[in-house]
Amino acid sequence: MLDLDLDGIAQRHPSLAADAARLSALLVEAPASDEAVALVCELTFASAEMPLVEGFLAQYTDLIDRFSPLAKLDLASTLASARLRTLSGPIDPWNRDLARSLLRRSGLSWMTLTAAKVMLQTYTDLNDSRTLLFVYQQLVDLHPDWATDPGMLQIKGHALLQIAKQLRRNQQRIERDSGLPQPPDPEIKEYLRRAKIELNSAILHGAANEVLKSAQSDLEYIRDWRQPEREHHDGWGI
């Protein structure tokens, strides 16, 4: 089935035909190699055809432990990619669990700063902010100097904001189900406060380009955070 997918990609995307042919050969010679995995991920992004990486992992599940840590990370980030999922639809539960498993199995001790950001971004794409914060702390314990990197600070701030949003959605669901207003949740306010600190710190430490845009966007969201009139007395000035 995977060979048919590669033939289809070559037909639909002629500029990718050579890479598709190379991958087809590697699947015979060395399917668990870093080169094979890199080509799977590159072709998936270039073609925007998620079945390629999904089919590869389904076909070679028994080889997962033979993949290098970097290969596992690349597969997880491709499988969970928010950009690709916008085109192909939400990730299904099986592939979500598989992406999480690949992240866990890739480990942390080998990581560069760039790889660490890829891992954390993958947890963002999986909407798993609490695990992200846990892994983030493990990474900065291993590399204390990473704690002031603007990209790391922005990722942490975004995760804190996502948790605040989820808590607020949970609160609104309770209100709808019960028909009763809920008191202001101090936990939400605390997550917003912490998110604002991290995002401002990212900017102060030299955030640029997409990192700066993301931090500014999240800070604007926090500034525009609106609570019902009944909550205004609680002082939501974050």
Side-chain angles (χ1 to χ4, degrees), residues 75-210:
L75 287 166
S77 66
T78 303
L79 196 59
S81 169
R83 177 166 71 84
L84 291 174
R85 289 295 172 186
T86 298
L87 301 171
S88 64
I91 188 170
D92 62 74
W94 190 88
N95 281 308
R96 181 183 295 276
D97 288 344
L98 179 55
R100 287 174 172 152
S101 176
L102 287 163
L103 290 174
R104 288 193 301 270
R105 295 183 189 201
S106 69
L108 302 178
S109 60
W110 64 275
M111 285 198 165
T112 63
L113 179 57
T114 298
K117 291 177 185 177
V118 171
M119 172 172 277
L120 295 175
Q121 182 57 50
T122 304
Y123 279 116
T124 298
D125 290 345
L126 289 168
N127 195 28
D128 197 352
S129 296
R130 293 186 185 275
T131 301
L132 183 157
L133 293 176
F134 176 76
V135 173
Y136 179 99
Q137 189 57 54
Q138 289 181 303
L139 288 166
V140 297
D141 286 346
L142 289 169
H143 305 277
D145 55 311
W146 291 2
T148 56
D149 177 84
M152 294 286 282
L153 290 163
Q154 180 269 319
I155 290 171
K156 183 179 181 183
H158 182 74
L160 291 164
L161 175 57
Q162 292 303 105
I163 293 174
K165 290 179 181 180
Q166 184 60 58
L167 289 171
R168 181 59 185 141
R169 286 193 292 270
N170 293 343
Q171 188 180 54
Q172 290 171 331
R173 184 166 54 251
I174 292 172
E175 289 179 339
R176 287 194 303 270
D177 291 346
S178 67
L180 299 173
Q182 297 296 303
D185 186 346
E187 189 177 15
I188 296 176
K189 182 175 181 179
E190 178 60 15
Y191 274 110
L192 291 172
R193 184 190 69 81
R194 291 171 58 195
K196 184 176 180 180
I197 289 172
E198 300 296 335
L199 294 165
N200 277 318
S201 186
I203 294 173
L204 288 173
H205 281 88
N209 302 322
E210 291 305 313

